[in-house]
Amino acid sequence: MNLLLLLDEDFIAPTRVRLSGRRLVHAREVLGAKAGDALKVGRLGGGIGSGRVVRMEEDALDLEVTLDQAPPPKLPLTLVLALPRPKVLDRCLQAATALGVARIVLLNAWRVEKAYWTSPKLKPEHIREQLVLGLEQARDTVLPELHLARLFVPFLETDLTELGPGRRLLAHPGATSPCPRGLEEPVILALGPEGGWIAPELGSFARAGFEPVSMGPRILRTETALAALIGRLA
Amino acid sequence: MNLLLLLDEDFIAPTRVRLSGRRLVHAREVLGAKAGDALKVGRLGGGIGSGRVVRMEEDALDLEVTLDQAPPPKLPLTLVLALPRPKVLDRCLQAATALGVARIVLLNAWRVEKAYWTSPKLKPEHIREQLVLGLEQARDTVLPELHLARLFVPFLETDLTELGPGRRLLAHPGATSPCPRGLEEPVILALGPEGGWIAPELGSFARAGFEPVSMGPRILRTETALAALIGRLA
């Protein structure tokens, strides 16, 4: 947690917040915060800045906050991710958020096990928790948009147009074109499941204008591939 | 596991191996291997290719192997990583290996807790296990070199010269220069601990010719930063 993320309900006056729970424990036990200290804070959906500790007690931490900086800009990047195993999902959501992805679509695919879609990790409050962890890690305040696309074909044929313009890239270890670098334009990047996309899916992506691109012959774990691809595109 | 990694002691004839344990279980339960199937294999330190199942029993799997391809090339990259928390170390070693890092140095730093150096995760057999998992993930056969540098100053003043030539880059979120892209030359990349390098360490790196570079204002987890930086440099 590199930033205490403040919610609207934390504000007890226009520039004063009262924190409890996880953020209080973090401030006390990890940051060793005491009266007078300045902590890095940000308001969910708003600015970032500094919070001066004005009261530190067992059950509440009061901060006088100045939010005078903009959060870091998002990447103009939509990540279309074949729904990973529940254990991997949390790490992917946190990493994508921390890296500054503007929009995340979790997509079904042939090699996505059906059971993944009924995991409690897909509950909105659990997903939101992962996104918040990513924001706190990266000192950001703006949640990425998140969409669930449980139907592969309708997503590619219809929903995709709602995502707006963007160069469409399909990460695929077998592709012959290397993944481009340092793009300035918006990008929609699709990343497959463990075991990869199957041939009909590759066909659907091709018809939807996705260029297959590769990071080389190495097959990477989803969370590693995601960070390496975004590091390269950013 | 995208490749069954074969050890010298697995060979019962020049082109025949007998597997048991973890690899047997994987072949049977994950790959559903049966007689006649061809499995992706590679010999530790050697070539990669295909293994035809000639016997599949409860306690042993025999493969007739053809190792006619070279493993993927390594990146000309030495990663100097401030020793991460034990829980994070495994993931970093696996990811760095899978990404093709040629050499990994685990370095002490002011913000590395002393206890990390006595973790059982630093035992040679445990480290090797993580490197092997990274190779199996990426279909590689060549272990990266691994060095432990428990003393920061002697490493920077003396041991570093033994790493040979290479552009020296210091990943630091506060740096004003962006991390370069797509380097062809050898690189020595240093990545700091949680909380970052302290000022005297930054001074030591500067004297040793390291250029501070950044991936932007976002603070990333070690394993995310590592993959994003390597994706960008590769």
Side-chain angles (χ1 to χ4, degrees):
Chain A
M1 201 192 292
N2 293 306
L3 166 139
L4 294 171
L5 199 61
L6 311 175
L7 310 178
D8 288 348
E9 55 264 38
D10 298 324
F11 282 79
I12 53 175
T15 60
R16 183 156 306 196
V17 295
R18 179 161 297 165
L19 303 183
S20 58
R22 187 174 66 96
R23 291 166 298 167
L24 167 64
V25 170
H26 180 83
R28 188 171 53 212
E29 295 179 9
V30 179
L31 306 177
K34 49 192 190 309
D37 286 356
L39 310 180
K40 195 92 188 167
V41 297
R43 184 170 190 160
L44 188 63
I48 61 176
S50 171
R52 193 170 46 81
V53 178
V54 287
R55 197 171 74 99
M56 179 72 182
E57 289 176 16
E58 190 55 37
D59 60 337
L61 162 66
D62 287 6
L63 300 171
E64 182 65 28
V65 301
T66 313
L67 301 170
D68 51 1
Q69 299 151 52
K74 294 283 187 212
L75 301 173
L77 179 63
T78 298
L79 175 67
V80 176
L81 184 65
L83 181 65
R85 276 185 293 139
K87 199 177 127 184
V88 175
L89 174 64
D90 286 358
R91 290 205 294 271
C92 288
L93 291 175
Q94 291 178 30
T97 304
L99 285 158
V101 171
R103 195 158 45 179
I104 303 168
V105 178
L106 297 173
L107 176 63
N108 196 27
W110 182 257
R111 294 209 174 102
V112 170
E113 288 186 25
K114 280 207 177 66
Y116 297 175
W117 286 103
T118 56
S119 164
K121 292 201 184 276
L122 276 184
K123 289 192 174 151
E125 62 274 21
H126 184 85
I127 286 184
R128 187 187 151 104
E129 207 177 298
Q130 308 316 308
L131 304 182
V132 164
L133 288 170
L135 294 181
E136 290 173 340
Q137 168 66 40
R139 291 192 177 156
D140 191 359
T141 64
V142 182
L143 289 166
E145 276 180 45
L146 192 124
H147 304 273
L148 301 183
R150 288 167 196 260
L151 298 170
F152 180 87
V153 172
F155 171 76
L156 274 188
E157 292 183 354
T158 312
D159 310 1
L160 191 57
T161 57
E162 294 164 21
L163 296 181
R167 182 164 170 189
R168 296 177 178 185
L169 302 176
L170 178 72
H172 185 56
T176 49
S177 305
C179 178
R181 302 172 190 285
L183 289 183
E184 301 290 326
E185 64 192 315
V187 168
I188 300 174
L189 171 70
L191 186 56
E194 284 179 54
W197 308 104
I198 60 168
E201 290 168 345
L202 293 174
S204 297
F205 277 111
R207 282 189 299 279
F210 279 81
E211 310 161 47
V213 296
S214 155
M215 293 287 286
R218 296 171 175 278
I219 301 173
L220 301 173
R221 278 180 193 277
T222 309
E223 62 265 40
T224 309
L226 180 160
L229 285 159
I230 295 173
R232 188 169 171 122
L233 287 168
Chain B
M1 202 192 290
N2 293 306
L3 164 139
L4 294 171
L5 199 62
L6 311 175
L7 310 177
D8 288 348
E9 56 265 37
D10 298 324
F11 281 79
I12 53 174
T15 60
R16 182 155 308 195
V17 296
R18 179 161 296 165
L19 303 183
S20 58
R22 188 174 65 95
R23 292 165 298 167
L24 167 64
V25 170
H26 180 83
R28 188 172 53 212
E29 295 179 7
V30 180
L31 306 177
K34 49 191 188 314
D37 286 357
L39 309 179
K40 195 90 187 169
V41 297
R43 184 171 190 159
L44 188 64
I48 61 177
S50 170
R52 192 170 46 82
V53 177
V54 289
R55 197 170 75 97
M56 180 73 182
E57 289 176 16
E58 190 56 39
D59 60 337
L61 162 65
D62 287 6
L63 300 171
E64 181 66 27
V65 301
T66 312
L67 302 169
D68 50 1
Q69 298 151 51
K74 293 284 186 209
L75 301 172
L77 178 63
T78 298
L79 175 68
V80 176
L81 184 65
L83 181 64
R85 275 185 293 138
K87 199 177 125 184
V88 176
L89 174 64
D90 287 358
R91 290 205 293 270
C92 288
L93 291 176
Q94 290 178 31
T97 305
L99 286 158
V101 171
R103 197 158 44 180
I104 303 168
V105 178
L106 297 173
L107 176 63
N108 196 27
W110 181 259
R111 293 208 176 104
V112 169
E113 288 186 26
K114 279 208 179 62
Y116 296 175
W117 287 103
T118 56
S119 163
K121 291 199 185 279
L122 275 184
K123 289 193 174 150
E125 61 274 20
H126 183 85
I127 286 184
R128 187 187 151 104
E129 208 176 297
Q130 309 316 309
L131 305 181
V132 163
L133 287 170
L135 295 181
E136 290 173 340
Q137 168 65 41
R139 292 193 176 155
D140 191 359
T141 64
V142 182
L143 290 166
E145 276 180 44
L146 193 125
H147 304 273
L148 301 182
R150 287 167 197 261
L151 298 170
F152 180 86
V153 173
F155 171 76
L156 274 189
E157 293 183 354
T158 312
D159 311 1
L160 191 56
T161 58
E162 293 165 21
L163 296 180
R167 183 164 170 188
R168 297 177 177 185
L169 301 177
L170 178 72
H172 184 57
T176 48
S177 305
C179 179
R181 301 173 190 284
L183 290 183
E184 300 291 325
E185 63 193 317
V187 169
I188 300 174
L189 171 70
L191 186 57
E194 283 179 53
W197 308 104
I198 60 168
E201 290 169 344
L202 293 174
S204 297
F205 276 112
R207 282 190 298 280
F210 279 80
E211 310 161 47
V213 295
S214 155
M215 292 286 288
R218 296 172 176 277
I219 301 174
L220 301 173
R221 279 181 193 278
T222 310
E223 63 265 40
T224 308
L226 180 161
L229 286 160
I230 295 174
R232 188 169 171 121
L233 287 168

